[in-house]
């Protein structure tokens, strides 16, 4: 994404029976680099992730507490949304 900032995110949800919903977000990748300029964005992103138990962590990986002077190994970013589209299919039985 650093080489090509144009990104697409697709989220699917299976409904009852054979029903489903699919959302597609097209946008631009923007990294919150580990610098003073992006500090507030990184802290906000981290606080949002902390509200969700393990869904974003790889296996049993737990981030280590780091001093503010050390560099973080985590990549935090946002997607500047340009367009949102989607489809829904209802199950007919």
């Amino acid at each position: 994404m650093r080489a090509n900032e144009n990104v697409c995110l697709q989220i699917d949800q299976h409904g009852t029976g054979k029903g489903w919903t699919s959302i597609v977000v097209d946008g631009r990748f923007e990294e919150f680099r580990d610098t003073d300029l992006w500090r507030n964005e990184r802290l906000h992103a981290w606080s949002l992730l902390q509200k969700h138990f393990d869904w974003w962590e790889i296996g049993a990986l737990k981030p280590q507490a780091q001093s503010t002077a050390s560099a973080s190994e985590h990549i935090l970013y946002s997607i500047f949304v340009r367009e949102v589209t989607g489809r829904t299919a209802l199950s007919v039985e």
Side-chain angles (χ1 to χ4, degrees):
M1 293 186 294
R2 289 174 175 156
N4 181 354
E5 66 182 18
N6 297 309
V7 296
C8 177
L9 171 68
Q10 180 172 336
I11 302 165
D12 297 317
Q13 180 179 21
H14 296 280
T16 58
K18 295 183 180 180
W20 53 268
T21 298
S22 179
I23 303 295
V24 177
V25 178
D26 287 309
R28 178 177 42 86
F29 163 82
E30 186 169 35
E31 184 174 351
F32 301 151
R33 296 200 179 264
D34 196 6
T35 65
D36 287 340
L37 179 66
W38 292 103
R39 181 172 171 73
N40 289 338
E41 286 81 359
R42 289 179 63 81
L43 291 173
H44 180 67
W46 190 256
S47 72
L48 293 174
L49 290 172
Q50 292 299 306
K51 294 179 182 180
H52 300 280
F53 178 71
D54 287 350
W55 73 269
W56 58 277
E57 294 177 357
I58 300 171
L61 174 66
K62 297 285 185 187
Q64 300 291 326
Q66 298 179 11
S67 69
T68 55
S70 67
S72 173
E73 59 190 59
H74 302 287
I75 298 171
L76 301 174
Y77 64 92
S78 70
I79 297 175
F80 179 80
V81 177
R82 292 184 182 133
E83 180 179 25
V84 177
T85 59
R87 293 185 174 187
T88 298
L90 301 176
S91 177
V92 179
E93 296 180 21

